[in-house]
Amino acid sequence: MGKIIAIAMPKGGVAKTTSAVNLSIALANKQKRVLLIDADPSNQCAIAFGLPDDPEIGTLFNVLSYAQTLDEAINTTENPYFDILPFKSISYEEELLLNEFSSDTKLFEHQIKPFVADYDFVLIDCPPTLVGMTVNVLNIADSVLIPVKSSMFSIVPLPKLMGRIEAISNNGNPNLHVEGIFLTMHEINTRASFSAKKELYRLYPNEMLTTAIPKNIAAEEASFQKDPVIIVNPHAKSSKAYEQLADEIIERNQSMNNDTFQSFADTDYLNDL
Ligand SMILES: Nc1ncnc2c1ncn2[C@@H]1O[C@H](COP(=O)(O)OP(=O)(O)O)[C@@H](O)[C@H]1O
Ligand SMILES: [Mg+2]
């Protein structure tokens, strides 16, 4: 299937990276073949998995600069269902080169899109912006998964992101749709979290996923342990929630595929008449 899901939100600190790394492992634990690509030059996915800063490790930067193909650059892991492509810990000079990559809107289409069919899901962790690398990712993505921290400041940038998704789907990537919006760092018993949830359901009733990721100290602690919380502490509340999010996404995609199958079946039926 090779479904490309961008994890995007033009705000830092809403748990994009935490969700990308934990959801990847949760999907892999359910025997889905997953490739996690870090498209954020801050290279945080590598940090989340404790990957060394080693020139032997294949990176997205190498792929975008034509130093490696995607096949050459992908790193396998001890989990047979999970592969990873970190961004790269880049120098100042390399950071300047990035502006050139970002302006080539066909780069991801040539270098990444044709090579991902062997995976069930390709999750791409985006930077906290709506320009440059994020636009390149949205140009090739099938869907956008949107983490929203349970706070008003995190809801405010959402209409801008939705507008951008609509613009890109009207201009060159008609497949692009919203995979879902979900709450992160949610605290059940606080008025702020309750208000955030209520507002999101009012604004985006059809896009809201039922899973909310609770605020959980284990998630924060795991970042010091060179592996995501779902590996370090699989029984933590946040780990269980990411398992539930994986189930929800798998289920939604199965029902979407069935719908597609249904419409093809209908067409065949019409052709037979
Ligand atoms: N469920 C959670 N509970 C507690 N802390 C969390 C949770 N999810 C993420 N965090 C913490 O919030 C901070 C921001 O998360 P991060 O994934 O880096 O956000 P982003 O990628 O959107 O900038 C990190 O310090 C992370 O450990
Ligand atoms: Mg991040």
Coordinates of all heavy atoms in Angstrom, one line a residue, residues 105-171:
T105 N 10.4 21.6 -5.8 CA 9.1 20.9 -5.3 C 9.0 19.5 -5.9 O 8.1 18.7 -5.4 CB 7.9 21.7 -5.7 OG1 8.0 22.0 -7.1 CG2 7.8 23.0 -5.0
K106 N 9.8 19.1 -6.9 CA 9.7 17.8 -7.4 C 10.7 16.8 -6.8 O 10.7 15.6 -7.0 CB 10.0 17.8 -8.9 CG 9.0 18.5 -9.8 CD 7.7 17.7 -9.9 CE 6.6 18.5 -10.5 NZ 5.3 18.1 -10.2
L107 N 11.5 17.3 -5.9 CA 12.6 16.5 -5.3 C 12.0 15.2 -4.6 O 12.5 14.1 -4.8 CB 13.4 17.3 -4.3 CG 14.8 16.8 -3.9 CD1 15.6 16.4 -5.1 CD2 15.5 17.8 -3.1
F108 N 11.1 15.4 -3.7 CA 10.5 14.3 -2.9 C 9.8 13.3 -3.9 O 9.8 12.1 -3.7 CB 9.5 14.8 -1.9 CG 10.2 15.2 -0.6 CD1 11.1 16.2 -0.5 CD2 9.9 14.5 0.6 CE1 11.7 16.6 0.7 CE2 10.5 14.9 1.8 CZ 11.4 15.9 1.8
E109 N 9.2 13.9 -4.9 CA 8.4 13.1 -5.9 C 9.4 12.1 -6.6 O 9.1 11.0 -6.8 CB 7.7 14.0 -6.9 CG 6.5 13.4 -7.4 CD 5.7 14.4 -8.2 OE1 5.4 15.4 -7.6 OE2 5.4 14.1 -9.4
H110 N 10.6 12.6 -6.9 CA 11.6 11.8 -7.6 C 12.3 10.9 -6.7 O 12.5 9.7 -7.0 CB 12.6 12.7 -8.4 CG 12.0 13.5 -9.5 ND1 12.5 14.7 -9.9 CD2 11.0 13.2 -10.3 CE1 11.8 15.1 -10.8 NE2 10.8 14.3 -11.1
Q111 N 12.7 11.4 -5.5 CA 13.6 10.6 -4.7 C 13.0 9.7 -3.7 O 13.6 8.8 -3.1 CB 14.5 11.6 -3.9 CG 15.5 12.4 -4.8 CD 16.6 11.5 -5.3 OE1 16.4 10.8 -6.3 NE2 17.7 11.5 -4.7
I112 N 11.7 10.0 -3.4 CA 11.1 9.2 -2.3 C 9.8 8.4 -2.7 O 9.7 7.2 -2.6 CB 10.7 10.1 -1.1 CG1 12.0 10.6 -0.5 CG2 9.9 9.4 0.0 CD1 11.9 11.5 0.6
K113 N 8.9 9.1 -3.4 CA 7.6 8.5 -3.7 C 7.7 7.1 -4.4 O 7.0 6.2 -4.0 CB 6.8 9.5 -4.5 CG 5.4 9.0 -4.8 CD 4.3 9.9 -4.1 CE 3.0 9.4 -4.4 NZ 2.0 10.0 -3.6
P114 N 8.6 7.0 -5.4 CA 8.6 5.7 -6.2 C 9.1 4.6 -5.4 O 8.9 3.4 -5.8 CB 9.5 6.0 -7.4 CG 9.7 7.5 -7.4 CD 9.5 8.0 -6.0
F115 N 9.7 4.8 -4.2 CA 10.4 3.7 -3.6 C 9.8 3.2 -2.3 O 10.4 2.5 -1.5 CB 11.9 4.1 -3.3 CG 12.6 4.6 -4.5 CD1 12.8 6.0 -4.7 CD2 13.0 3.7 -5.4 CE1 13.4 6.4 -5.8 CE2 13.7 4.2 -6.6 CZ 13.9 5.5 -6.8
V116 N 8.5 3.6 -2.0 CA 7.9 3.2 -0.7 C 6.8 2.2 -0.8 O 6.2 1.9 0.2 CB 7.4 4.5 0.0 CG1 8.6 5.4 0.3 CG2 6.3 5.2 -0.8
A117 N 6.6 1.6 -2.0 CA 5.5 0.7 -2.1 C 5.6 -0.6 -1.2 O 4.5 -1.2 -0.9 CB 5.3 0.3 -3.6
D118 N 6.8 -1.0 -0.8 CA 6.9 -2.2 0.0 C 6.4 -2.0 1.5 O 6.3 -3.0 2.2 CB 8.4 -2.6 0.1 CG 8.8 -3.2 -1.3 OD1 7.9 -3.5 -2.1 OD2 10.0 -3.4 -1.5
Y119 N 6.2 -0.7 1.8 CA 5.8 -0.5 3.2 C 4.2 -0.4 3.3 O 3.6 -0.1 2.3 CB 6.4 0.8 3.7 CG 7.9 0.8 3.9 CD1 8.7 1.2 2.9 CD2 8.4 0.2 5.0 CE1 10.1 1.1 3.0 CE2 9.8 0.1 5.2 CZ 10.6 0.6 4.1 OH 12.0 0.4 4.3
D120 N 3.7 -0.7 4.5 CA 2.3 -0.4 4.7 C 2.1 1.1 5.0 O 1.2 1.7 4.4 CB 1.7 -1.2 5.9 CG 1.8 -2.7 5.6 OD1 1.2 -3.1 4.5 OD2 2.4 -3.5 6.3
F121 N 2.9 1.6 5.8 CA 2.8 3.0 6.2 C 4.2 3.7 6.2 O 5.2 3.1 6.7 CB 2.3 3.2 7.6 CG 0.8 2.7 7.7 CD1 0.5 1.5 8.3 CD2 -0.2 3.5 7.3 CE1 -0.8 1.1 8.5 CE2 -1.5 3.1 7.4 CZ -1.8 1.9 8.0
V122 N 4.2 4.9 5.6 CA 5.5 5.7 5.7 C 5.1 7.0 6.4 O 4.2 7.8 6.0 CB 5.9 6.1 4.2 CG1 7.2 7.0 4.3 CG2 6.2 4.9 3.4
L123 N 5.6 7.1 7.6 CA 5.3 8.3 8.5 C 6.4 9.3 8.3 O 7.6 8.9 8.4 CB 5.2 7.9 10.0 CG 4.1 6.8 10.3 CD1 4.0 6.7 11.8 CD2 2.8 7.1 9.7
I124 N 6.0 10.5 8.0 CA 7.0 11.6 7.9 C 6.8 12.7 8.9 O 5.8 13.3 9.0 CB 7.0 12.2 6.5 CG1 7.0 11.1 5.4 CG2 8.1 13.2 6.3 CD1 7.1 11.6 3.9
D125 N 7.8 12.8 9.8 CA 7.8 13.8 10.8 C 8.2 15.2 10.2 O 9.3 15.3 9.7 CB 8.7 13.4 12.0 CG 8.7 14.3 13.2 OD1 7.7 15.0 13.3 OD2 9.7 14.4 13.9
C126 N 7.3 16.2 10.3 CA 7.5 17.5 9.6 C 8.1 18.5 10.6 O 7.8 18.4 11.8 CB 6.2 18.0 9.0 SG 5.7 17.0 7.6
P127 N 8.8 19.5 10.1 CA 9.2 20.6 11.0 C 8.0 21.5 11.4 O 6.9 21.4 10.7 CB 10.2 21.4 10.2 CG 10.0 21.0 8.8 CD 9.2 19.7 8.8
P128 N 8.1 22.4 12.4 CA 6.9 23.1 12.9 C 6.6 24.4 12.0 O 6.4 25.5 12.5 CB 7.3 23.5 14.3 CG 8.8 23.6 14.2 CD 9.3 22.6 13.2
T129 N 6.6 24.2 10.7 CA 6.4 25.3 9.8 C 5.5 24.9 8.7 O 5.2 23.7 8.5 CB 7.7 25.8 9.1 OG1 8.2 24.6 8.4 CG2 8.7 26.3 10.1
L130 N 5.0 25.9 7.9 CA 4.1 25.5 6.7 C 4.8 25.9 5.4 O 4.1 26.0 4.4 CB 2.8 26.3 6.9 CG 1.7 25.5 7.7 CD1 0.4 26.3 7.6 CD2 1.5 24.1 7.1
V131 N 6.1 26.1 5.5 CA 6.8 26.4 4.2 C 8.0 25.4 4.1 O 8.2 24.5 4.9 CB 7.5 27.8 4.3 CG1 6.4 28.9 4.3 CG2 8.4 28.0 5.5
G132 N 8.7 25.5 3.0 CA 9.9 24.6 2.8 C 9.6 23.1 2.8 O 8.8 22.6 2.1
M133 N 10.3 22.5 3.7 CA 10.3 21.0 3.8 C 8.9 20.5 4.0 O 8.5 19.5 3.4 CB 11.2 20.6 4.9 CG 11.7 19.2 4.8 SD 12.7 18.9 3.4 CE 14.2 19.7 3.9
T134 N 8.1 21.1 4.8 CA 6.7 20.7 5.0 C 5.9 20.7 3.7 O 5.1 19.7 3.4 CB 6.0 21.6 6.1 OG1 6.8 21.6 7.2 CG2 4.6 21.0 6.4
V135 N 6.0 21.7 2.9 CA 5.3 21.7 1.6 C 5.7 20.6 0.7 O 4.9 19.9 0.1 CB 5.5 23.1 0.9 CG1 4.8 23.1 -0.4 CG2 4.9 24.2 1.8
N136 N 7.0 20.3 0.7 CA 7.5 19.2 -0.1 C 6.9 17.9 0.3 O 6.6 17.1 -0.5 CB 9.1 19.2 0.0 CG 9.7 20.3 -0.8 OD1 9.1 20.9 -1.7 ND2 11.0 20.6 -0.5
V137 N 6.8 17.7 1.6 CA 6.2 16.5 2.2 C 4.8 16.4 1.8 O 4.3 15.4 1.3 CB 6.4 16.4 3.7 CG1 5.7 15.2 4.2 CG2 7.9 16.3 4.1
L138 N 4.0 17.5 2.0 CA 2.6 17.5 1.7 C 2.3 17.3 0.2 O 1.3 16.7 -0.2 CB 1.9 18.8 2.2 CG 1.9 19.0 3.7 CD1 1.1 20.3 4.1 CD2 1.4 17.8 4.5
N139 N 3.3 17.7 -0.6 CA 3.1 17.5 -2.1 C 3.1 16.0 -2.5 O 2.5 15.6 -3.5 CB 4.2 18.1 -2.9 CG 4.0 19.6 -3.0 OD1 2.8 20.1 -3.0 ND2 5.0 20.4 -3.3
I140 N 3.7 15.1 -1.6 CA 3.7 13.7 -2.0 C 2.9 12.8 -1.0 O 2.8 11.6 -1.2 CB 5.2 13.1 -2.0 CG1 5.9 13.2 -0.7 CG2 6.0 13.7 -3.1 CD1 6.9 12.1 -0.4
A141 N 2.4 13.5 0.1 CA 1.7 12.7 1.1 C 0.3 12.3 0.6 O -0.3 12.9 -0.2 CB 1.6 13.5 2.4
D142 N -0.2 11.2 1.2 CA -1.5 10.8 1.0 C -2.4 11.4 2.0 O -3.6 11.7 1.7 CB -1.7 9.2 1.1 CG -0.9 8.5 0.0 OD1 -1.1 8.8 -1.2 OD2 0.0 7.7 0.3
S143 N -1.9 11.6 3.2 CA -2.7 12.2 4.3 C -1.9 12.9 5.3 O -0.7 12.8 5.3 CB -3.6 11.1 5.0 OG -2.7 10.2 5.7
V144 N -2.6 13.7 6.1 CA -1.9 14.4 7.2 C -2.5 14.1 8.5 O -3.7 14.1 8.7 CB -2.1 16.0 7.0 CG1 -1.2 16.7 7.9 CG2 -1.8 16.4 5.5
L145 N -1.7 13.6 9.5 CA -2.1 13.3 10.8 C -1.7 14.5 11.7 O -0.5 14.9 11.7 CB -1.4 12.0 11.3 CG -1.7 11.5 12.6 CD1 -3.2 11.2 12.8 CD2 -0.9 10.3 12.9
I146 N -2.6 15.0 12.4 CA -2.4 16.3 13.1 C -2.5 16.2 14.6 O -3.6 16.0 15.2 CB -3.4 17.4 12.6 CG1 -3.4 17.4 11.1 CG2 -3.1 18.7 13.2 CD1 -4.5 18.3 10.5
P147 N -1.3 16.3 15.3 CA -1.4 16.2 16.8 C -1.6 17.7 17.3 O -1.0 18.6 16.8 CB 0.1 15.8 17.2 CG 0.9 16.0 16.0 CD 0.1 16.3 14.8
V148 N -2.5 17.8 18.3 CA -2.8 19.1 18.8 C -2.7 19.0 20.4 O -3.4 18.2 21.0 CB -4.3 19.5 18.5 CG1 -4.5 20.9 19.1 CG2 -4.4 19.6 17.0
K149 N -1.8 19.7 20.9 CA -1.7 19.8 22.4 C -2.9 20.4 23.0 O -3.5 21.3 22.4 CB -0.4 20.6 22.7 CG -0.1 20.5 24.2 CD 1.2 21.3 24.4 CE 1.5 21.5 25.9 NZ 2.7 22.3 26.1
S150 N -3.4 19.8 24.1 CA -4.6 20.3 24.7 C -4.4 21.7 25.2 O -4.3 21.9 26.4 CB -5.0 19.4 25.8 OG -5.6 18.3 25.3
S151 N -4.3 22.7 24.3 CA -4.2 24.1 24.8 C -4.7 25.0 23.7 O -4.7 24.6 22.5 CB -2.8 24.5 25.1 OG -2.0 24.7 23.9
M152 N -5.1 26.2 24.0 CA -5.7 27.2 23.0 C -4.6 27.6 22.0 O -4.9 27.7 20.8 CB -6.2 28.4 23.7 CG -7.2 29.2 22.9 SD -8.6 28.2 22.4 CE -9.0 29.0 20.9
F153 N -3.4 27.8 22.5 CA -2.3 28.2 21.6 C -2.1 27.1 20.5 O -1.6 27.5 19.4 CB -1.0 28.4 22.4 CG -0.9 29.6 23.2 CD1 0.0 29.7 24.2 CD2 -1.9 30.6 23.0 CE1 0.1 30.9 25.0 CE2 -1.8 31.8 23.8 CZ -0.9 31.9 24.8
S154 N -2.4 25.9 20.8 CA -2.2 24.8 19.7 C -3.3 24.8 18.7 O -3.1 24.2 17.6 CB -2.0 23.5 20.4 OG -0.9 23.5 21.3
I155 N -4.5 25.3 19.1 CA -5.6 25.2 18.2 C -5.6 26.3 17.2 O -5.9 26.2 16.1 CB -6.9 25.3 19.0 CG1 -7.0 24.0 20.0 CG2 -8.2 25.3 18.1 CD1 -8.2 24.0 20.9
V156 N -5.0 27.5 17.6 CA -5.0 28.7 16.8 C -4.4 28.4 15.4 O -4.9 28.9 14.4 CB -4.3 29.8 17.5 CG1 -4.1 31.0 16.6 CG2 -5.2 30.3 18.7
P157 N -3.2 27.7 15.3 CA -2.6 27.5 13.9 C -3.4 26.5 13.0 O -3.1 26.4 11.9 CB -1.2 26.9 14.2 CG -1.0 27.0 15.7 CD -2.4 27.1 16.3
L158 N -4.4 25.8 13.6 CA -5.0 24.7 12.8 C -5.7 25.2 11.5 O -5.5 24.6 10.5 CB -6.1 24.0 13.7 CG -5.7 22.7 14.2 CD1 -6.8 22.1 15.1 CD2 -5.4 21.7 13.1
P159 N -6.5 26.3 11.5 CA -7.2 26.7 10.3 C -6.2 27.0 9.2 O -6.4 26.7 8.0 CB -7.9 28.0 10.7 CG -8.1 27.9 12.2 CD -6.9 27.1 12.7
K160 N -5.0 27.5 9.5 CA -4.0 27.8 8.6 C -3.5 26.5 7.9 O -3.3 26.4 6.7 CB -2.8 28.5 9.2 CG -2.3 29.7 8.6 CD -1.2 30.3 9.5 CE -0.4 31.4 8.8 NZ 0.6 31.8 9.7
L161 N -3.3 25.5 8.8 CA -2.8 24.2 8.2 C -3.9 23.6 7.4 O -3.6 23.1 6.3 CB -2.5 23.2 9.4 CG -2.2 21.8 9.1 CD1 -1.0 21.7 8.2 CD2 -2.0 21.0 10.4
M162 N -5.1 23.6 7.8 CA -6.2 23.1 7.0 C -6.3 23.8 5.6 O -6.6 23.1 4.6 CB -7.6 23.2 7.7 CG -7.7 22.4 9.0 SD -7.4 20.7 8.6 CE -8.4 19.9 9.9
G163 N -6.2 25.1 5.6 CA -6.2 25.9 4.4 C -5.1 25.4 3.4 O -5.3 25.3 2.2
R164 N -3.9 25.2 4.0 CA -2.8 24.8 3.2 C -3.0 23.4 2.6 O -2.7 23.1 1.5 CB -1.5 24.7 4.2 CG -0.2 24.7 3.5 CD 0.1 26.2 3.1 NE 1.2 26.1 2.2 CZ 1.2 26.6 1.0 NH1 0.2 27.3 0.5 NH2 2.3 26.5 0.2
I165 N -3.6 22.5 3.4 CA -3.9 21.1 2.9 C -4.8 21.2 1.8 O -4.7 20.6 0.7 CB -4.4 20.2 4.1 CG1 -3.4 20.0 5.2 CG2 -5.0 18.9 3.5 CD1 -3.9 19.4 6.4
E166 N -5.9 22.0 1.9 CA -6.9 22.2 0.9 C -6.2 22.8 -0.4 O -6.5 22.3 -1.5 CB -8.0 23.1 1.4 CG -9.3 22.9 0.6 CD -10.4 23.8 1.0 OE1 -10.4 24.2 2.2 OE2 -11.3 24.1 0.2
A167 N -5.4 23.8 -0.2 CA -4.7 24.4 -1.4 C -3.8 23.4 -2.1 O -3.9 23.3 -3.3 CB -3.9 25.6 -0.9
I168 N -3.1 22.6 -1.4 CA -2.2 21.6 -2.0 C -3.0 20.5 -2.7 O -2.7 20.0 -3.8 CB -1.2 21.0 -1.0 CG1 -0.2 22.1 -0.6 CG2 -0.5 19.8 -1.5 CD1 0.8 21.8 0.5
S169 N -4.2 20.1 -2.1 CA -5.0 19.1 -2.7 C -5.7 19.6 -4.0 O -6.0 18.9 -4.9 CB -5.9 18.4 -1.7 OG -7.1 19.2 -1.6
N170 N -5.9 20.9 -4.0 CA -6.5 21.6 -5.2 C -5.4 21.9 -6.3 O -5.8 22.2 -7.4 CB -7.2 22.9 -4.9 CG -8.5 22.6 -4.1 OD1 -9.1 21.5 -4.2 ND2 -8.9 23.5 -3.3
N171 N -4.2 21.8 -5.9 CA -3.1 22.2 -6.8 C -2.0 21.1 -6.9 O -0.9 21.3 -6.4 CB -2.5 23.5 -6.4 CG -3.4 24.7 -6.6 OD1 -3.7 25.1 -7.7 ND2 -3.9 25.2 -5.5

